[in-house]
Amino acid sequence: MNRFAELLDRLAYEPGRNNKLRLLQGYFREVGDPDRGYALAALTGALSFKHAKPVLIRDLIASRTDEVLFGLSYDYVGDLSETVALMWPKAVLPAHNNPPPPTLTEVVTTLRTLGKTELPKQLERWLDELDETGRWALLKLVTGAMRIGISARLAKTAAAALGDKDPHEVELLWPGLSPPYLDLFAWLEGRAEKPVNRDPAPFRPVMLAHAIEDSDFASLDPADYIAEWKWDGIRVQAVAGRDEHGQITARLYSRTGEDITGSFPDLVPSLRLPGAIDGELLILREGRVQSFNVLQQRLNRKIVSPKLIKDFPIHLRAYDLLGDDENDLRELPFAERRERLETFIGKLDDPRLDLSPTIPFASWDALTAARADPASAGAGEDADAVEGVMLKRRDAPYLPGRPKGQWWKWKRDPHIIDAVLMYAQRGHGKRSSYYSDYTFGVWTETDNGEELVPVGKAYFGFTDEELLQIDRFVRRNTTEKFGPVRHVVHEGDKGLVLEVAFEGLQRSPRHKSGVAMRFPRISRLRWDKPPREADRLETLEKMLKADESLPTIKVAASADGH
Amino acid sequence: MTIMRPQDILLPTADGLCCKPGGFHIDPIRPVERALITHGHSDHARAGHGAVLATQETLDMMRLRYGENFAGSTQVISYGEELRLGDVKVKFRPAGHVLGSAQIAVTAKDTCIVASGDYKDAPDPTCAPFELVPCDVFITEATFGLPVFRHGDAALEVKKLLASVALFPERAHLVGAYSLGKAQRVIALLRKAGYDAPIYLHGAMEKITAYYQSRGIDLGELRPAMGMKKAALAGTITLAPPSATSDIWARRFPDPVTAFASGWMRVRARARQGGVELPLVISDHADWDGLTATIAATGAGEIWVTHGQEDALVHWCKTQGLRARPLDLVGYGDEEESEPQPRSEAEA
């Protein structure tokens, strides 16, 4: 347990992805079975036991320490598990009688079978046996609040690296595996055959698209591509397969492989043919696709009530077929998969599923026109739910990840304004010595005359070279410092103008300006422009009105399926 | 005959702890006629006093920092030596905090008060170990006066640093440490752990580190980080003032791992606030167990608690049947480990 705690501790502080991988790999290499398997399970969220409630932890510490001292300590540290881990008093035991600290395996297997009434005593014993970091990790584990900035994907990638395997291979096997993953590690270390995935409806790692740039078109031939609408819903994979008894099992996965079937029970009966569909989850009312805002109201609900199902009828718009019955289609060119998909959807003949139509086009100009006016280019009444077009190479196999030059997404033009840099804050990790988080504002008339009002914050979009330039500017033009925040000069003739691109606008009473941007990023530095010529709040208000009359502007957030 | 109360001997004033019958202040924060200085950290040892009494090392450190004329006159006192000043007797005893650090025992008639300055009861290869001084009133610091602060074995923290250096041989390790005391202790601990490669130093700590070496403390081969090629710093360890590790200065290092050696690193939120990736819990102050054990061992019936988390320690003393009160002295804890420092941007 202490070694696992050490790993968690180190991971919690390490900002870099590659460095996190190194730490994880080091752990998997160094630690034997079954501990490392349970660690992998803990990091991928695959452990299941009843979590301890905070009140139980509070009771434990109250029985061991002075109430006032605990209060002062908790107040200072701010985190219950950490406070308890740090101040837990050493048990007075004769030295030769000290039991060794529990292993992770012991903790996990015990927690699985432990009755509720036995938990406090058991926790107390473990807290006595572990050191500070061990106690912290234990409490995080039992309360189910790990939060150390590790994705399940990263943990699997680190495990895969143990055997020089592609993480996708592990991903493919994953649904059929269970902790402590002895068969997985045996295969990764070359001691056994690859485990067989017996899951009848496994997830397949998804293929992603690159954002296309104007300059890309020159080298692309329209004849090589099939175009589709880019829908503003959620990318999902709907998989159905037969188990050993011949029964159909159907599952819905998010693009990251999370099983979200439970949230959409109304779609399951429609997935009655064995196969794996790649598509967009949408809400359809009277045959019309609803905006993402509507879909959002159905997401992340703990309870899926009959009313929710009725008011937000779910729909799957299919654009690719990865598996047809027993056959893996992923090696086939997209054009062939598309034909198979059309047949498959036809055979299924279900109102909850339909085909995402292709957009006929002969030239890039024609596609540009279609993208500008989806309604008259085939999207019809659903045009409002189109957030751009997708371009897919006819001969592209289905490749996991984001392979170059196969799939392109071509979104609608983002909004752009010129704003003035007002405040800057240091970044994190590699950027911790740079001022890389920028708050920018636009002009407005107030009682005090012309003033800049903050309208957003951006921390990407610029090149490394531009980062250096802005950083230098910030350091040389700081007017005040507040902790990590620097006030940067922003007057009519002194300051830096940033061209900010963003996806959309929303009214926001939380912001002084009354508007909030979606996905703002720095698109250009306007050293040439004096701050007084930057945009005004009225410009944003006009954009906002335009957005509101046109409910299609995207919430790209979780919606950006491609 | 009047009975002498402790506060007749030592009294907290705006200038610092004042001994009227002895005619001196201890670690005054403003210039006074006669000052007794516990140790060389800038919040305790300030320039501009008329006369200064301190250990040789403390006086040398003040000279290094403030120049030859930092005080009207100076007088050296050794550990254990007794001096009469006015109506009181004073004695300096090792505090185990940094090189030359002392507790000051002030005795008037039958009452002995020990002003311990900053102290720690943990082993430190770079200074004389803390000596317990039985007394009637013990004045203790409370920098880490909460039971969450338990510092553990510094050698294990250094092992953690070395494990990280082994895991990331292509990265530089940048260890933030206070220039006076902590930096030299970390270096000495690294040497003790068998690390014998050259250790690099930020310019701001070269002078004070050279002084430690001149006092016979073996720190192995040290090199200035200045002027090194970026690639040549891969796999190395560099000590720097905490403020420098997130400064422009840090850009000369290849993908640096930012470490910070401090008792504050025990608390995650504090470590994260400072952008620290490798917190090393190494403190030159007593931790909670150290504070409470020391207070009990002095046999003092009255405890005065100063700079830090006074509330918790005062509360603890009371639960032990000891009279205790916070001293409310201001101006301490500015250099050492009190708060993450304001970041200086100076290229050094």
Side-chain angles (χ1 to χ4, degrees), chain A residues 189-257:
Chain A
E189 289 177 340
R191 291 182 280 112
E193 288 300 301
K194 187 168 169 177
V196 184
N197 185 354
R198 277 178 246 284
D199 189 302
F203 171 70
R204 289 143 174 96
V206 299
M207 179 165 176
L208 302 166
H210 283 269
I212 201 161
E213 309 267 339
D214 289 348
S215 55
D216 290 321
F217 289 104
S219 58
L220 304 181
D221 182 350
D224 290 340
Y225 287 86
I226 294 173
E228 306 163 1
W229 301 117
K230 180 163 173 22
W231 298 103
D232 192 14
I234 316 179
R235 177 96 179 264
V236 291
Q237 197 175 103
V239 189
R242 280 196 185 85
D243 64 17
E244 60 262 47
H245 312 294
Q247 300 292 316
I248 289 280
T249 298
R251 286 210 192 92
L252 200 62
Y253 295 100
S254 73
R255 61 184 283 193
T256 54

XYZ file of all heavy atoms in Angstrom, chain A residues 189-257:
545
model
N 4.150 -9.123 -20.405
C 5.527 -9.503 -20.083
C 5.987 -10.709 -20.871
O 7.030 -11.294 -20.576
C 5.656 -9.739 -18.571
C 5.574 -8.434 -17.805
C 5.618 -8.603 -16.294
O 5.331 -9.720 -15.802
O 5.940 -7.621 -15.613
N 5.194 -11.106 -21.864
C 5.610 -12.197 -22.751
C 5.569 -13.565 -22.097
O 6.234 -14.493 -22.538
N 4.792 -13.719 -21.039
C 4.729 -15.006 -20.349
C 3.522 -15.820 -20.761
O 3.386 -16.960 -20.339
C 4.707 -14.780 -18.826
C 5.994 -14.244 -18.253
C 5.901 -14.089 -16.744
N 5.190 -12.869 -16.339
C 4.006 -12.860 -15.734
N 3.395 -13.997 -15.466
N 3.450 -11.724 -15.398
N 2.630 -15.223 -21.530
C 1.406 -15.944 -21.895
C 0.835 -15.383 -23.183
O 1.245 -14.325 -23.652
C 0.379 -15.820 -20.763
N -0.121 -16.112 -23.729
C -0.815 -15.667 -24.934
C -1.669 -14.441 -24.623
O -2.009 -14.188 -23.462
C -1.746 -16.793 -25.426
C -1.020 -17.980 -26.046
C -0.201 -17.592 -27.263
O -0.802 -17.077 -28.220
O 1.042 -17.776 -27.236
N -2.018 -13.735 -25.664
C -2.898 -12.579 -25.524
C -4.255 -13.036 -24.974
O -4.828 -14.006 -25.455
C -3.083 -11.972 -26.910
C -3.827 -10.676 -26.939
C -3.672 -10.070 -28.327
C -4.610 -8.901 -28.517
N -4.418 -8.276 -29.822
N -4.762 -12.355 -23.957
C -6.067 -12.745 -23.431
C -7.142 -12.561 -24.505
O -7.032 -11.669 -25.350
C -6.317 -11.770 -22.284
C -5.061 -11.023 -22.078
C -4.211 -11.184 -23.293
N -8.131 -13.414 -24.461
C -9.195 -13.315 -25.446
C -10.323 -12.471 -24.849
O -10.724 -12.679 -23.708
C -9.734 -14.719 -25.791
C -10.771 -14.623 -26.902
C -8.584 -15.619 -26.208
N -10.773 -11.503 -25.644
C -11.876 -10.686 -25.168
C -13.192 -11.420 -25.385
O -13.645 -11.601 -26.497
C -11.884 -9.358 -25.917
C -12.952 -8.436 -25.370
O -13.743 -8.827 -24.513
N -12.978 -7.220 -25.862
N -13.776 -11.853 -24.313
C -15.016 -12.616 -24.414
C -16.249 -11.724 -24.288
O -17.362 -12.200 -24.248
C -15.045 -13.705 -23.343
C -14.291 -14.943 -23.764
C -14.311 -15.974 -22.655
N -12.975 -16.178 -22.133
C -12.047 -16.872 -22.740
N -12.281 -17.443 -23.890
N -10.849 -17.036 -22.212
N -15.994 -10.425 -24.222
C -17.129 -9.521 -24.126
C -17.903 -9.558 -25.436
O -17.347 -9.345 -26.498
C -16.623 -8.101 -23.845
C -17.759 -7.159 -23.510
O -18.660 -7.025 -24.359
O -17.746 -6.580 -22.423
N -19.200 -9.821 -25.389
C -19.960 -9.890 -26.637
C -20.135 -8.526 -27.307
O -20.376 -8.472 -28.512
C -21.313 -10.447 -26.202
C -21.403 -10.190 -24.740
C -20.009 -10.141 -24.212
N -19.991 -7.441 -26.533
C -20.203 -6.117 -27.131
C -19.091 -5.161 -26.703
O -19.322 -4.222 -25.950
C -21.570 -5.573 -26.722
N -17.895 -5.411 -27.189
C -16.765 -4.605 -26.715
C -16.678 -3.246 -27.415
O -17.198 -3.068 -28.515
C -15.544 -5.449 -27.090
C -15.975 -6.179 -28.319
C -17.456 -6.422 -28.172
N -16.016 -2.328 -26.758
C -15.756 -1.003 -27.319
C -14.584 -1.077 -28.281
O -13.650 -1.842 -28.080
C -15.429 -0.045 -26.174
C -14.944 1.304 -26.608
C -15.813 2.198 -27.224
C -13.630 1.696 -26.392
C -15.369 3.451 -27.612
C -13.184 2.948 -26.786
C -14.054 3.827 -27.398
N -14.648 -0.299 -29.348
C -13.517 -0.188 -30.269
C -13.003 1.242 -30.210
O -13.799 2.187 -30.327
C -13.969 -0.521 -31.686
C -14.286 -1.999 -31.881
C -15.474 -2.147 -32.820
N -15.748 -3.553 -33.151
C -16.642 -4.307 -32.529
N -17.329 -3.818 -31.517
N -16.854 -5.565 -32.900
N -11.702 1.417 -30.055
C -11.159 2.778 -29.972
C -11.566 3.593 -31.194
O -11.555 3.085 -32.313
C -9.650 2.565 -29.957
C -9.441 1.145 -29.627
C -10.670 0.387 -29.983
N -11.935 4.836 -30.984
C -12.514 5.611 -32.075
C -11.464 6.311 -32.926
O -10.329 6.540 -32.508
C -13.524 6.666 -31.567
C -14.665 6.006 -30.850
C -12.823 7.693 -30.703
N -11.893 6.618 -34.146
C -11.068 7.360 -35.086
C -11.498 8.827 -35.014
O -12.688 9.130 -34.986
C -11.293 6.813 -36.492
C -10.512 7.515 -37.575
S -10.534 6.483 -39.071
C -9.664 7.537 -40.224
N -10.498 9.709 -34.997
C -10.795 11.127 -34.844
C -10.310 11.911 -36.058
O -9.498 11.430 -36.848
C -10.131 11.665 -33.570
C -10.541 10.945 -32.286
C -9.597 11.289 -31.142
C -11.973 11.280 -31.911
N -10.812 13.133 -36.190
C -10.501 13.960 -37.353
C -9.606 15.135 -36.977
O -9.574 15.560 -35.827
C -11.794 14.477 -37.968
N -8.889 15.639 -37.956
C -8.121 16.867 -37.773
C -8.955 18.054 -38.230
O -9.753 17.928 -39.161
C -6.854 16.832 -38.627
C -5.797 15.975 -38.041
N -4.841 16.458 -37.194
C -5.549 14.654 -38.181
C -4.048 15.471 -36.825
N -4.447 14.364 -37.406
N -8.728 19.200 -37.604
C -9.383 20.421 -38.085
C -8.685 20.833 -39.375
O -7.460 20.857 -39.433
C -9.256 21.518 -37.046
N -9.460 21.128 -40.393
C -8.860 21.466 -41.685
C -8.539 22.963 -41.728
O -9.240 23.773 -41.126
C -9.796 21.051 -42.847
C -9.000 20.912 -44.137
C -10.959 22.038 -43.021
C -9.707 20.087 -45.204
N -7.443 23.291 -42.399
C -7.061 24.688 -42.558
C -7.245 25.053 -44.027
O -7.188 24.182 -44.896
C -5.581 24.885 -42.204
C -5.170 24.306 -40.870
C -5.257 25.326 -39.751
O -5.235 26.536 -40.075
O -5.365 24.926 -38.594
N -7.402 26.344 -44.285
C -7.571 26.791 -45.664
C -6.473 26.234 -46.573
O -6.712 25.825 -47.705
C -7.543 28.325 -45.737
C -8.809 28.910 -45.131
O -9.749 28.120 -44.895
O -8.853 30.124 -44.895
N -5.264 26.224 -46.025
C -4.117 25.824 -46.847
C -4.121 24.331 -47.174
O -3.407 23.892 -48.073
C -2.829 26.187 -46.117
O -2.852 25.604 -44.828
N -4.927 23.562 -46.442
C -4.940 22.111 -46.688
C -5.623 21.755 -48.015
O -5.259 20.776 -48.663
C -5.664 21.377 -45.561
C -4.866 21.413 -44.266
O -3.622 21.296 -44.345
O -5.477 21.554 -43.201
N -6.607 22.564 -48.399
C -7.420 22.194 -49.559
C -6.612 22.056 -50.841
O -6.911 21.219 -51.686
C -8.556 23.212 -49.759
C -9.612 23.106 -48.708
C -9.705 24.026 -47.681
C -10.508 22.040 -48.740
C -10.670 23.912 -46.710
C -11.490 21.921 -47.769
C -11.569 22.857 -46.744
N -5.580 22.899 -50.966
C -4.787 22.905 -52.188
C -4.275 21.508 -52.544
O -4.207 21.123 -53.709
C -3.616 23.871 -52.029
N -3.935 20.743 -51.518
C -3.326 19.444 -51.786
C -4.344 18.299 -51.756
O -3.975 17.138 -51.869
C -2.226 19.183 -50.749
O -2.788 19.244 -49.465
N -5.630 18.631 -51.583
C -6.635 17.570 -51.498
C -7.487 17.530 -52.770
O -7.863 18.573 -53.306
C -7.548 17.800 -50.290
C -6.868 17.920 -48.929
C -7.914 18.129 -47.832
C -6.036 16.688 -48.611
N -7.799 16.313 -53.217
C -8.633 16.147 -54.402
C -10.051 15.791 -53.961
O -10.254 14.783 -53.276
C -8.041 15.015 -55.254
C -8.837 14.807 -56.544
O -9.931 15.412 -56.673
O -8.360 14.048 -57.399
N -11.037 16.614 -54.343
C -12.419 16.359 -53.891
C -12.874 14.929 -54.214
O -13.673 14.349 -53.468
C -13.249 17.370 -54.685
C -12.292 18.422 -55.123
C -10.942 17.799 -55.204
N -12.351 14.380 -55.300
C -12.799 13.048 -55.713
C -12.404 11.970 -54.704
O -13.015 10.894 -54.652
C -12.212 12.715 -57.081
N -11.398 12.258 -53.878
C -10.934 11.258 -52.913
C -11.804 11.231 -51.655
O -11.595 10.393 -50.780
C -9.500 11.576 -52.467
C -8.507 11.333 -53.590
O -8.868 10.582 -54.516
O -7.393 11.893 -53.541
N -12.721 12.169 -51.546
C -13.414 12.339 -50.274
C -14.926 12.182 -50.340
O -15.543 12.459 -51.349
C -13.088 13.719 -49.686
C -11.688 13.771 -49.144
C -10.618 14.084 -49.979
C -11.431 13.454 -47.816
C -9.321 14.086 -49.505
C -10.144 13.454 -47.328
C -9.083 13.772 -48.164
O -7.813 13.759 -47.674
N -15.469 11.723 -49.231
C -16.912 11.718 -49.023
C -17.180 12.755 -47.937
O -16.450 12.814 -46.941
C -17.396 10.323 -48.554
C -17.171 9.307 -49.671
C -18.866 10.388 -48.118
C -17.442 7.870 -49.264
N -18.192 13.580 -48.160
C -18.513 14.606 -47.156
C -19.823 14.256 -46.456
O -20.735 13.682 -47.053
C -18.617 15.975 -47.821
N -19.866 14.578 -45.136
C -21.099 14.408 -44.360
C -21.287 15.643 -43.509
O -20.349 16.397 -43.292
C -20.980 13.246 -43.362
C -20.565 11.935 -43.914
C -20.085 11.008 -42.784
O -20.115 11.407 -41.605
O -19.679 9.897 -43.107
N -22.477 15.810 -42.985
C -22.680 16.891 -42.020
C -22.010 16.532 -40.710
O -21.961 15.368 -40.340
C -24.177 17.131 -41.787
C -24.922 17.494 -43.029
C -25.928 16.786 -43.613
C -24.693 18.627 -43.859
N -26.351 17.402 -44.745
C -25.598 18.548 -44.934
C -23.799 19.714 -43.820
C -25.654 19.504 -45.939
C -23.862 20.673 -44.826
C -24.783 20.563 -45.880
N -21.513 17.571 -40.073
C -20.987 17.372 -38.728
C -22.098 17.774 -37.780
O -22.491 18.933 -37.713
C -19.754 18.247 -38.514
C -19.146 18.100 -37.138
C -17.727 18.636 -37.114
C -17.124 18.662 -35.717
N -17.700 17.787 -34.719
N -22.646 16.776 -37.058
C -23.808 17.021 -36.191
C -23.381 17.474 -34.809
O -22.366 17.044 -34.285
C -24.656 15.745 -36.074
C -25.197 15.322 -37.400
C -24.733 14.307 -38.175
C -26.259 15.929 -38.127
N -25.432 14.228 -39.344
C -26.387 15.210 -39.340
C -27.107 17.002 -37.879
C -27.341 15.544 -40.305
C -28.060 17.320 -38.834
C -28.167 16.588 -40.039
N -24.206 18.298 -34.259
C -23.893 18.839 -32.941
C -24.542 18.004 -31.851
O -25.468 18.433 -31.178
C -24.396 20.285 -32.876
C -23.855 20.990 -31.655
O -22.917 20.459 -31.039
O -24.367 22.064 -31.322
N -24.051 16.789 -31.707
C -24.585 15.917 -30.666
C -23.432 15.316 -29.897
O -22.442 15.995 -29.650
N -23.560 14.048 -29.504
C -22.456 13.372 -28.834
C -22.036 12.173 -29.658
O -22.875 11.369 -30.064
C -22.841 12.811 -27.461
C -23.658 13.802 -26.671
C -21.621 12.441 -26.667
C -24.034 13.181 -25.352
N -20.748 12.053 -29.863
C -20.209 10.913 -30.583
C -20.359 9.671 -29.707
O -19.951 9.675 -28.553
C -18.720 11.167 -30.858
C -17.998 10.027 -31.537
C -17.949 10.256 -33.009
N -17.239 9.208 -33.723
C -15.964 9.287 -34.066
N -15.240 10.350 -33.731
N -15.406 8.312 -34.764
N -20.950 8.626 -30.251
C -21.093 7.388 -29.482
C -20.785 6.178 -30.349
O -20.720 6.273 -31.580
C -22.522 7.201 -28.910
C -22.814 8.200 -27.822
C -23.550 7.254 -30.008
N -20.595 5.066 -29.680
C -20.449 3.796 -30.384
C -21.525 2.861 -29.831
O -21.594 2.630 -28.626
C -19.060 3.230 -30.098
C -18.647 2.157 -31.063
C -17.207 1.739 -30.790
O -16.982 0.690 -30.195
N -16.246 2.547 -31.183
N -22.366 2.371 -30.714
C -23.445 1.476 -30.294
C -23.081 0.070 -30.745
O -22.938 -0.188 -31.935
C -24.760 1.913 -30.908
N -22.893 -0.819 -29.773
C -22.413 -2.156 -30.088
C -23.407 -3.199 -29.604
O -23.906 -3.123 -28.480
C -21.045 -2.418 -29.415
C -20.452 -3.727 -29.914
C -20.092 -1.264 -29.685
N -23.693 -4.167 -30.485
C -24.531 -5.291 -30.064
C -23.821 -6.580 -30.468
O -23.163 -6.634 -31.501
C -25.903 -5.200 -30.717
N -23.928 -7.592 -29.617
C -23.285 -8.865 -29.930
C -24.014 -9.991 -29.218
O -24.816 -9.744 -28.307
N -23.718 -11.234 -29.645
C -24.371 -12.388 -29.022
C -23.473 -12.974 -27.951
O -22.284 -13.185 -28.183
C -24.643 -13.458 -30.086
C -25.881 -13.160 -30.896
C -26.373 -14.377 -31.664
N -27.488 -13.949 -32.509
C -27.319 -13.418 -33.716
N -26.107 -13.286 -34.225
N -28.362 -13.010 -34.424
N -24.032 -13.227 -26.784
C -23.244 -13.896 -25.751
C -23.260 -15.402 -25.991
O -23.821 -15.875 -26.989
C -23.758 -13.537 -24.345
C -25.177 -14.022 -24.096
O -25.640 -14.907 -24.862
O -25.818 -13.527 -23.151
N -22.655 -16.169 -25.064
C -22.502 -17.611 -25.312
C -23.839 -18.352 -25.397
O -23.914 -19.438 -25.929
C -21.581 -18.256 -24.267
C -22.049 -18.138 -22.837
C -21.384 -16.994 -22.095
O -21.312 -15.862 -22.638
O -20.931 -17.217 -20.971
N -24.907 -17.716 -24.882
C -26.224 -18.346 -24.979
C -27.004 -17.865 -26.190
O -28.182 -18.136 -26.325
C -27.047 -18.056 -23.715
C -26.287 -18.294 -22.462
N -25.860 -19.542 -22.078
C -25.838 -17.428 -21.513
C -25.193 -19.439 -20.939
N -25.156 -18.167 -20.583
N -26.339 -17.070 -27.016
C -27.012 -16.587 -28.213
C -27.879 -15.362 -27.976
O -28.578 -14.906 -28.866
N -27.858 -14.842 -26.747
C -28.655 -13.649 -26.438
C -27.931 -12.392 -26.909
O -26.709 -12.321 -26.840
C -28.872 -13.544 -24.916
C -29.597 -14.728 -24.299
C -31.045 -14.799 -24.736
O -31.736 -13.788 -24.758
N -31.494 -15.990 -25.109
N -28.693 -11.391 -27.322
C -28.086 -10.134 -27.745
C -27.764 -9.265 -26.526
O -28.608 -9.068 -25.661
C -29.034 -9.347 -28.680
C -29.141 -10.043 -30.033
C -28.582 -7.908 -28.846
C -27.997 -9.778 -30.976
N -26.513 -8.791 -26.482
C -26.119 -7.803 -25.483
C -25.857 -6.506 -26.237
O -25.139 -6.516 -27.231
C -24.809 -8.229 -24.780
O -25.054 -9.451 -24.112
C -24.344 -7.178 -23.797
N -26.442 -5.403 -25.778
C -26.215 -4.128 -26.461
C -25.617 -3.131 -25.491
O -25.996 -3.089 -24.316
C -27.525 -3.596 -27.013
N -24.656 -2.384 -25.998
C -24.043 -1.358 -25.142
C -23.790 -0.093 -25.923
O -23.500 -0.124 -27.118
C -22.695 -1.851 -24.597
C -22.836 -2.871 -23.520
C -21.664 -2.784 -22.555
N -21.702 -3.964 -21.726
C -21.056 -5.082 -22.020
N -20.272 -5.120 -23.071
N -21.167 -6.122 -21.256
N -23.886 1.007 -25.194
C -23.584 2.298 -25.777
C -22.335 2.841 -25.068
O -22.278 2.858 -23.847
C -24.777 3.235 -25.544
C -24.874 4.447 -26.459
C -25.033 4.008 -27.910
C -26.049 5.323 -26.042
N -21.349 3.235 -25.875
C -20.117 3.767 -25.291
C -19.912 5.218 -25.694
O -20.283 5.625 -26.793
C -18.907 2.987 -25.807
C -18.862 1.542 -25.400
C -19.265 0.543 -26.277
C -18.378 1.178 -24.146
C -19.201 -0.794 -25.919
C -18.303 -0.164 -23.776
C -18.719 -1.147 -24.666
O -18.638 -2.452 -24.301
N -19.278 5.986 -24.812
C -18.858 7.339 -25.186
C -17.609 7.201 -26.049
O -17.053 6.117 -26.177
C -18.524 8.145 -23.940
O -17.293 7.696 -23.410
N -17.153 8.296 -26.596
C -15.978 8.223 -27.481
C -14.739 7.755 -26.740
O -13.772 7.319 -27.348
C -15.717 9.578 -28.130
C -15.425 10.662 -27.109
C -15.260 11.992 -27.758
N -13.946 12.097 -28.380
C -13.437 13.235 -28.813
N -14.127 14.341 -28.713
N -12.246 13.274 -29.346
N -14.742 7.860 -25.401
C -13.576 7.415 -24.645
C -13.751 5.989 -24.149
O -12.900 5.455 -23.452
C -13.338 8.313 -23.427
O -14.560 8.360 -22.673
C -12.947 9.712 -23.839
N -14.868 5.355 -24.501
C -15.044 3.962 -24.122
C -15.810 3.771 -22.830
O -15.925 2.659 -22.318
